[in-house]
């Protein structure tokens, strides 16, 4: 349904071109949940903002191909993109505290989106908003539509944001770390809700997170990103049982074990992700990798057989 | 709501009492400030001084003088001038109020409308030549002193180009009564309105542009974009609405001060006998009752303007309502 090929996003800065996304390709199939994992600055959000056409920075250059149901999105006019956004592709953002306009009621904001895409009366839009709030388990939806964002808790606000994203029944939902700003119990409720709605609405979901635990909970397939490239991708089962890329292995090792002896200290990955400005020509993870060897001064190529990794250990050339 | 109004009225009372005491102290009770010697003149003999002191009631204790003055302003309304004895001050101030209000309200309407238009257009076309042009014009507007701009306006509309088709409609300087001559009232005030508003249009346009650009970086604007709304709608319904909150704060302060007499320079240049002009004349010859009354009036309007701003806040920002 969504097919991204060789996507490159770069920003002109005073120090020169910064390549934020460097040749990323992936597909999202109808009704699946794709988990995208990576550290801050790995390009997971930027690549999906590019899909949404939400990179408004005039210094950004987007190259490659993004096809949504056969339609090319790169270079699509702002007007056509707007018709797609919110109706076909919807997005949930990281921080529910700031994602809603503070001066309007949540019912008004949901109805606004419905009426931007469909010709229906204000009254019908309001009824739809009530139904949607009911669906995301907000108590007393008929009264809740008259509440302002500041009158709701973080979890409730995120539910309202989800209700808004679902209001036009999108076939693709992009969730950008929707649980990061919430506490753990609320996090679990929101994950349950996303899974339930994904079943009911049969939308495909791209779920961006930096939390391997969340991925294990929700994703069908997983894509691990590092420094603007894909490090590894595969089904959730494959990726968790036999991780191939040393970065994925290190990420999984840093999760505290539930059974057995409690480790003295959790494992961490030494070093920090590379600065975007001074990219090496070799494997970006090499400076932090425990398994690096001579070949790593070259750029590894992502394999293409279902469960892929961009590492010379896996794909020696 | 009733409680809020009562609180405002109480606040207004305290502000006015405080200011009146302060002004009274400055002119009557600071060391060396002897109103009697000022009234009697430079070379007055001790007998005359004594007579003046008795006649004006300066021989009484300060608090008695203060209370008598307050009573004459607020209760009996028969306070008379020290300079022009027998001239009733309170009706004189009341007469000037319509002049100042006409000037300031008209200018405020102009500067709010054009400030919002210029700020919004500049923010929408950020970085373009239009944005740069508007901001430079705004800066020029802020930099021009109102007394200079007013004189230039007068020079152009009253003398140099008065007999051309452009400005032959401009009536001579002075104020026309709204109820008896509405057309004259409007025509005489057009040029003063524009003159007074230009500074504020520049200022408000620049402030609003900065606020709008900041608001356009907010997360909720990204959400609005993700909803598929048009840029115009995002700017007007989402960003402008939240940016107006600081706009209103600024407006309350400026409007209150102008109604309270800060429009003095405009009033003098255009020969409008408003509150500012009256205060200025009273300060020239230290006519204390007049100063006292205009100060009372000004503080009343400043507090009133702030109260109105609070009401507008409640309309604009739901977060204020629940407090």
């Amino acid at each position: 349904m969504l097919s991204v090929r060789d996507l490159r996003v770069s920003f002109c800065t005073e120090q020169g071109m910064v390549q934020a996304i460097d040749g990323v390709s992936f597909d999202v199939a109808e009704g699946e949940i794709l988990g995208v994992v990576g550290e801050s600055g790995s390009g997971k959000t930027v690549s999906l903002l590019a899909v949404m056409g939400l990179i408004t920075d005039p210094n950004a250059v987007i190259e490659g191909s993004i096809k949504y149901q056969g339609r090319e999105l790169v270079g699509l006019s702002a007007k056509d993109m707007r018709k797609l956004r919110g109706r076909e592709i919807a997005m949930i953002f990281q921080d529910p505290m700031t994602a809603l306009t503070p001066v309007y009621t949540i019912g008004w904001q949901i109805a606004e989106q419905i009426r931007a895409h469909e010709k229906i009366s204000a009254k019908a839009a309001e009824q739809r908003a009530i139904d949607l709030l009911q669906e995301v388990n907000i108590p007393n939806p008929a009264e809740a539509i008259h509440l302002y964002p500041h009158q709701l808790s973080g979890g409730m606000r995120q539910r309202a944001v989800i209700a808004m994203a679902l209001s036009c029944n999108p076939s693709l939902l992009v969730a950008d770390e929707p649980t990061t700003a919430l506490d753990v119990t609320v996090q679990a409720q929101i994950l349950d809700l996303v899974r339930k709605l994904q079943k009911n609405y049969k939308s495909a979901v791209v779920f961006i997170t930096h939390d391997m635990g969340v991925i294990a909970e929700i994703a069908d397939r997983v894509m691990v990103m590092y420094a603007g490239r894909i490090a590894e991708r595969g089904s959730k089962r494959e990726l968790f049982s036999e991780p191939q890329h040393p970065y994925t292995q290190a990420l999984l090792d840093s999760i505290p074990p539930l059974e057995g002896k409690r480790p003295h200290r959790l494992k961490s990955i030494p070093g920090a992700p590379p600065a975007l400005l001074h990219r090496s020509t070799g494997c970006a993870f090499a400076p932090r990798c425990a398994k690096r060897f001579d070949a790593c001064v070259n750029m590894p190529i992502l394999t293409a057989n279902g469960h892929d990794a961009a590492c010379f250990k896996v794909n020696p050339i | 709501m009733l409680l809020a109004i009562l609180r405002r009225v109480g606040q207004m009372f305290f502000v006015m009492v405080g200011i009146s005491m302060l002004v009274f102290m400055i002119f009557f009770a600071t060391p060396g400030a002897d109103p009697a010697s000022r009234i009697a003149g430079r070379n007055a003999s001790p007998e005359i001084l004594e007579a003046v002191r008795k006649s004006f009631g300066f021989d009484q204790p300060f608090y008695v003088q203060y209370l008598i003055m307050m009573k004459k302003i607020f209760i009996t309304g028969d306070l008379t001038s020290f300079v022009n004895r027998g001239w009733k001050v309170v009706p004189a101030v009341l007469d000037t109020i319509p002049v100042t209000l006409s000037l300031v309200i008209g200018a405020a309407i102009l500067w709010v409308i054009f400030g919002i238009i210029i700020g919004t257009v500049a923010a929408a076309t950020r970085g373009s030549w239009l944005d740069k042009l508007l901001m430079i014009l705004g800066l020029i507007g802020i930099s021009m002193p109102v007394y200079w701009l007013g004189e230039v306006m007068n020079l152009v509309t009253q003398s140099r180009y008065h007999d051309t088709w452009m400005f032959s409609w401009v009536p001579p300087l002075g104020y026309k009564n709204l109820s008896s001559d509405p057309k004259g009232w409007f025509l005489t005030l057009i040029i003063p309105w524009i003159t007074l508003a230009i500074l504020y249009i520049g200022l408000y346009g620049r402030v609003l542009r900065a606020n709008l650009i900041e608001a356009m970086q907010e997360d909720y604007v990204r959400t609005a974009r993700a909803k598929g709304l048009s840029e115009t709608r995002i700017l007007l319904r989402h960003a402008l609405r939240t940016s107006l909150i600081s706009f209103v704060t600024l407006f309350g302060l400026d409007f209150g001060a102008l109604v309270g007499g800060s429009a003095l320079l405009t009033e003098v240049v255009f020969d409008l006998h408003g509150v500012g002009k009256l205060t200025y004349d009273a300060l020239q010859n230290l006519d204390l009752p007049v100063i006292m009354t205009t100060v009372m009036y000004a503080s009343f309007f400043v507090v009133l303007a702030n109260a109105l701003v609070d009401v507008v806040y409640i309309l604009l920002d739901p977060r204020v309502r629940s407090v």
Side-chain angles (χ1 to χ4, degrees):
Chain A
M1 181 175 70
L2 179 74
S3 150
V4 176
R5 287 290 166 270
D6 199 28
L7 179 68
R8 285 164 204 279
V9 180
S10 42
F11 295 91
C12 301
T13 65
E14 280 175 18
Q15 285 95 38
M17 291 293 274
V18 170
Q19 193 84 34
I21 306 291
D22 191 9
V24 165
S25 307
F26 61 91
D27 293 289
V28 182
E30 210 91 32
E32 79 165 344
I33 302 186
L34 172 70
V36 181
V37 214
E39 284 168 87
S40 307
S42 61
K44 50 195 194 308
T45 302
V46 174
S47 54
L48 271 306
L49 284 179
V51 170
M52 293 285 291
L54 280 180
I55 297 181
T56 47
D57 191 332
N59 298 315
V61 181
I62 302 169
E63 294 161 305
S65 152
I66 301 167
K67 279 211 168 82
Y68 173 77
Q69 292 182 332
R71 205 157 151 213
E72 180 59 57
L73 299 190
V74 175
L76 196 67
S77 77
K79 197 165 162 243
D80 290 337
M81 196 66 221
R82 211 155 56 217
K83 280 186 193 149
L84 220 58
R85 224 161 31 210
R87 185 166 62 182
E88 298 281 327
I89 314 175
M91 190 155 184
I92 306 171
F93 293 100
Q94 180 170 356
D95 191 352
M97 293 304 175
T98 54
L100 292 162
T101 309
V103 295
Y104 296 116
T105 62
I106 55 170
W108 187 93
Q109 297 191 46
I110 295 172
E112 184 188 31
Q113 173 160 4
I114 300 172
R115 299 192 73 193
H117 295 291
E118 288 169 39
K119 279 205 169 15
I120 71 172
S121 71
K123 192 124 191 114
E126 189 182 285
Q127 188 53 48
R128 276 267 289 283
I130 296 175
D131 296 342
L132 283 159
L133 291 184
Q134 174 95 51
E135 192 122 21
V136 296
N137 302 332
I138 286 183
N140 266 334
E143 283 158 35
I145 55 163
H146 300 299
L147 293 178
Y148 289 95
H150 72 275
Q151 293 167 314
L152 297 167
S153 68
M156 284 299 151
R157 276 190 226 189
Q158 195 61 293
R159 284 163 201 265
V161 172
I162 292 173
M164 194 156 80
L166 292 172
S167 61
C168 294
N169 211 343
S171 41
L172 177 63
L173 183 64
V174 177
D176 183 6
E177 307 203 28
T179 55
T180 307
L182 306 171
D183 65 60
V184 184
T185 29
V186 181
Q187 208 169 19
Q189 293 166 6
I190 296 286
L191 287 180
D192 282 344
L193 183 68
V194 170
R195 211 168 17 210
K196 183 190 107 189
L197 294 171
Q198 187 260 339
K199 278 207 183 76
N200 294 352
Y201 283 77
K202 299 186 178 58
S203 345
V205 178
V206 177
F207 202 100
I208 303 172
T209 180
H210 56 245
D211 188 340
M212 276 300 208
V214 170
I215 289 291
E217 187 90 3
I218 201 161
D220 300 322
R221 283 197 311 123
V222 186
M223 179 164 100
V224 181
M225 288 191 71
Y226 189 80
R229 293 171 148 264
I230 296 173
E232 183 168 358
R233 67 174 172 219
S235 72
K236 178 169 76 181
R237 184 186 299 263
E238 288 166 341
L239 199 113
F240 275 83
S241 56
E242 358 167 348
Q244 293 181 342
H245 196 286
Y247 179 57
T248 319
Q249 289 163 4
L251 279 181
L252 290 173
D253 282 344
S254 63
I255 298 172
L258 284 178
E259 290 152 14
K261 200 166 153 279
R262 194 169 151 185
H264 176 57
R265 296 197 66 163
L266 282 176
K267 280 189 191 153
S268 66
I269 307 173
L276 290 175
L277 203 56
H278 306 291
R279 279 288 171 68
S280 71
T281 50
C283 174
F285 187 61
R288 302 170 75 187
C289 183
K291 296 175 182 166
R292 69 173 168 269
F293 61 114
D294 301 343
C296 298
V297 295
N298 298 312
M299 188 66 88
I301 297 161
L302 194 65
T303 55
N305 47 21
H307 180 193
D308 311 315
C311 181
F312 289 110
K313 286 277 181 197
V314 183
N315 187 20
I317 297 170
Chain B
M1 196 62 207
L2 188 71
L3 192 76
I5 292 171
L6 281 178
R7 203 163 49 203
R8 273 288 163 194
V9 171
Q11 197 180 338
M12 194 183 294
F13 178 75
F14 276 109
V15 169
M16 290 175 73
V17 167
I19 291 178
S20 63
M21 281 183 174
L22 200 70
V23 173
F24 185 85
M25 296 294 230
I26 289 171
F27 288 106
F28 287 78
T30 40
D34 184 5
S37 68
R38 254 193 331 255
I39 292 168
R42 193 165 295 182
N43 298 315
S45 63
E47 294 79 41
I48 293 178
L49 262 181
E50 201 47 48
V52 165
R53 204 160 272 148
K54 214 168 177 63
S55 150
F56 282 89
F58 299 143
D59 51 352
Q60 285 167 303
F62 287 131
Y63 68 91
V64 176
Q65 290 185 45
Y66 173 78
L67 288 177
I68 288 174
M69 192 172 250
M70 288 300 115
K71 188 188 94 185
K72 282 182 170 172
I73 293 178
F74 289 106
I75 299 166
T76 53
D78 59 354
L79 187 66
T80 54
S81 160
F82 280 180
V83 175
N84 202 349
R85 295 201 81 183
W87 184 49
K88 291 239 169 54
V89 171
V90 177
V93 172
L94 289 179
D95 279 349
T96 61
I97 291 178
V99 183
T100 300
L101 279 182
S102 302
L103 174 66
V104 176
I105 291 176
I109 291 171
L110 279 184
W111 96 58
V112 166
I113 293 175
F114 285 98
I116 290 178
I117 292 176
I118 286 177
T120 313
V121 168
T125 59
R126 173 171 27 143
S128 72
W129 61 268
L130 183 61
D131 171 31
K132 285 180 187 130
L133 178 75
L134 287 175
M135 285 307 103
I136 289 171
L137 286 179
L139 199 60
I140 292 172
I142 296 169
S143 320
M144 282 189 298
V146 72
Y147 51 87
W148 178 82
L149 181 66
E151 289 294 7
V152 171
M153 287 286 215
N154 277 341
L155 188 71
V156 170
T157 62
Q158 298 288 347
S159 123
R160 293 298 153 86
Y161 295 97
H162 184 71
D163 297 326
T164 66
W165 57 271
M166 269 188 296
F167 297 115
S168 55
W169 55 268
V170 181
L173 297 180
Y175 178 75
K176 302 263 189 336
N177 210 319
L178 172 61
S179 48
S180 58
D181 182 7
K183 185 161 175 268
W185 173 85
F186 186 76
L187 290 179
T188 40
L189 281 171
I190 289 180
I191 300 292
W193 282 337
I194 294 173
T195 308
L196 181 58
I198 279 180
L199 158 73
Y200 294 99
I201 291 174
L203 189 66
Y204 281 55
R206 289 178 71 93
V207 168
L208 184 64
R209 173 186 179 271
N211 279 328
L212 275 173
I213 287 175
E214 202 184 306
M216 288 304 274
Q217 313 292 327
E218 294 281 348
D219 281 358
Y220 58 77
V221 167
R222 195 174 57 170
T223 311
R225 287 209 177 97
K227 284 160 80 172
L229 306 178
S230 69
E231 281 298 308
T232 321
R233 190 179 169 92
I234 293 169
L235 184 73
L236 295 182
R237 297 305 292 264
H238 290 264
L240 182 61
R241 174 70 192 272
T242 40
S243 302
L244 279 181
I245 293 166
S246 50
F247 190 90
V248 166
T249 312
L250 208 58
F251 181 79
L253 293 173
D254 284 333
F255 186 77
L258 281 177
V259 173
S262 291
L264 161 73
L265 294 171
T266 318
E267 288 175 4
V268 172
V269 170
F270 292 105
D271 196 27
L272 299 166
H273 293 268
V275 179
K277 182 85 163 51
L278 188 69
T279 315
Y280 174 75
D281 292 341
L283 279 167
Q284 290 286 300
N285 48 29
L286 282 166
D287 197 349
L288 296 172
V290 182
I291 296 173
M292 203 68 185
T293 315
T294 52
V295 163
M296 287 289 84
Y297 152 85
S299 55
F300 171 79
F301 266 99
V302 170
V303 179
L304 187 71
N306 276 310
L308 286 177
V309 163
D310 281 1
V311 173
V312 178
Y313 266 157
I314 290 172
L315 294 176
L316 275 179
D317 191 346
R319 285 167 293 187
V320 183
R321 277 173 229 169
S322 47
V323 179

